[in-house]
Amino acid sequence: MLKQMVPSLVTPLTKLVNESFEISVCSDRWKNGVINPLYKSGDSLDPSNYRPITLLPALSKIPERLVHRQLYNHLVKNKLLWPFQSGFVAKDSTTNLLLDVVNKIKLGITANKFVRAALLDFKKAFDNVNHECLLLKLYKKGVRGKALKWIEDYLKDRTIQTMLDGKMSQKRLVTKGVPQGSILGPLLFLVYIDDLPSNIESTVRLFADDVILINHEDDPLNCALKLNRYLVRIQEWSEKWHIPLNQAKCEAITFSSRYYSKKASTLPSTSTDLMIS
């Protein structure tokens, strides 16, 4: 319908979007999301067995697309994104990430070393993004003035409603997280998680909120100790920026062509033993 109305809509919409950027205000009508619960499996009366699919106003995608394009170009042009982030990045994919990871593992095994890898998962990472922290990180990456104020207004006072069996729930205020189903949300999350690899010397690969750490060492104990040290730093990062690790989904694995005893691979007690044991 909107495409058929382009000749009539283009002028007022252009004026409306330009005005939105000029005064750094995102319309409240563009901030409400309608959630359609998609049943997965299990008990149909258990809300956790539904996947929430959020639908946003179609016209809200216009300013989002414009902001995304300019923000992404700014980040790429000035090399402000972690170079080994493959999620929501143009001309990148899980294929590139997995090929690189497999190659790193193969190089370690070929060099007759122990390769220790940790696969980390964050608990509802997109929904736990702290808005004040996100704005701070955007500011540090050079997003200032009207652009930063527009994004701040875009994030605040957002609401959601649930549609079920043709009935709509009352609106509920969303106080954290990037908007699900939006164009701009994934890029804002990349900015939020971008500094996670700082001060970590092992190989770190990211796909949005999924993290892989890889460490090569001649000795299995040293390999585990180093990885533990980096895991502690990531845990500290997650606590500082309010995105908790989902330890139930964190895994670790050792790759090697060499035999090592169970005793040699025993790890000292640390706060991250559950992740790598």
Side-chain angles (χ1 to χ4, degrees):
M1 183 188 70
L2 290 172
K3 289 181 179 179
Q4 294 297 323
M5 296 174 63
V6 164
S8 301
L9 289 177
V10 64
T11 299
L13 272 178
T14 300
K15 182 177 180 181
L16 181 63
V17 172
N18 284 336
E19 183 72 11
S20 171
F21 292 152
E22 183 63 30
I23 63 176
S24 299
V25 172
C26 182
S27 172
D28 289 339
R29 292 182 179 272
W30 292 345
K31 296 181 182 181
N32 184 56
V34 177
I35 295 178
N36 286 313
L38 183 65
Y39 175 68
K40 295 186 291 185
S41 62
D43 184 2
S44 61
L45 297 179
D46 185 354
S48 64
N49 290 328
Y50 289 81
R51 184 184 302 280
I53 305 298
T54 305
L55 302 178
L56 298 174
L59 293 180
S60 69
K61 305 295 179 69
I62 298 174
E64 278 196 59
R65 178 69 67 186
L66 295 170
V67 173
H68 180 283
R69 185 182 303 162
Q70 294 187 43
L71 177 58
Y72 183 79
N73 289 340
H74 166 74
L75 296 172
V76 172
K77 180 181 178 181
N78 295 288
K79 299 181 180 179
L80 297 174
L81 286 178
W82 174 250
F84 301 110
Q85 166 67 265
S86 296
F88 310 114
V89 175
K91 300 179 181 180
D92 209 333
S93 66
T94 52
T95 302
N96 291 339
L97 182 145
L98 291 173
L99 285 173
D100 186 45
V101 169
V102 170
N103 184 56
K104 294 292 182 184
I105 294 171
K106 183 180 178 181
L107 288 175
I109 294 175
T110 302
N112 204 29
K113 293 186 177 183
F114 289 95
V115 183
R116 187 76 169 170
L119 295 82
L120 309 182
D121 181 79
F122 291 97
K123 191 178 298 182
K124 295 184 178 180
F126 285 74
D127 294 331
N128 280 317
V129 169
N130 181 283
H131 292 170
E132 290 183 2
C133 295
L134 172 58
L135 294 170
L136 174 63
K137 294 189 177 194
L138 285 167
Y139 182 86
K140 289 182 177 180
K141 290 188 180 295
V143 182
R144 313 281 172 85
K146 291 181 179 180
L148 186 62
K149 289 182 180 179
W150 188 92
I151 294 175
E152 180 180 8
D153 191 78
Y154 166 82
L155 292 170
K156 75 177 184 180
D157 298 329
R158 300 193 72 91
T159 56
I160 54 172
Q161 293 175 277
T162 300
M163 171 74 78
L164 187 63
D165 294 333
K167 296 182 179 180
M168 190 80 76
S169 71
Q170 295 292 322
K171 289 184 179 180
R172 184 172 181 178
L173 189 66
V174 179
T175 58
K176 62 180 180 178
V178 294
Q180 296 286 354
S182 66
I183 293 173
L184 191 54
L187 181 58
L188 294 177
F189 182 79
L190 293 191
V191 172
Y192 199 82
I193 202 173
D194 188 68
D195 59 348
L196 181 145
S198 300
N199 301 319
I200 296 179
E201 297 171 6
S202 65
T203 299
V204 183
R205 296 294 180 267
L206 303 176
F207 190 90
D209 60 328
D210 294 319
V211 183
I212 301 176
L213 275 75
I214 303 174
N215 203 42
H216 295 181
E217 289 293 334
D218 291 320
D219 180 77
L221 182 59
N222 287 339
C223 193
L225 287 172
K226 279 191 175 182
L227 197 61
N228 253 11
R229 190 159 60 247
Y230 301 140
L231 288 172
V232 169
R233 293 177 186 176
I234 290 179
Q235 186 172 4
E236 291 171 349
W237 180 94
S238 72
E239 292 172 355
K240 177 180 179 180
W241 300 109
H242 313 289
I243 300 186
L245 282 162
N246 187 354
Q247 292 198 16
K249 292 186 177 180
C250 292
E251 300 286 350
I253 186 169
T254 299
F255 302 90
S256 177
S257 58
R258 295 162 56 189
Y259 171 80
Y260 64 100
S261 67
K262 227 176 181 183
K263 183 178 179 181
S265 64
T266 301
L267 304 178
S269 176
T270 73
S271 59
T272 54
D273 275 349
L274 286 178
M275 299 177 198
I276 65 172
S277 60

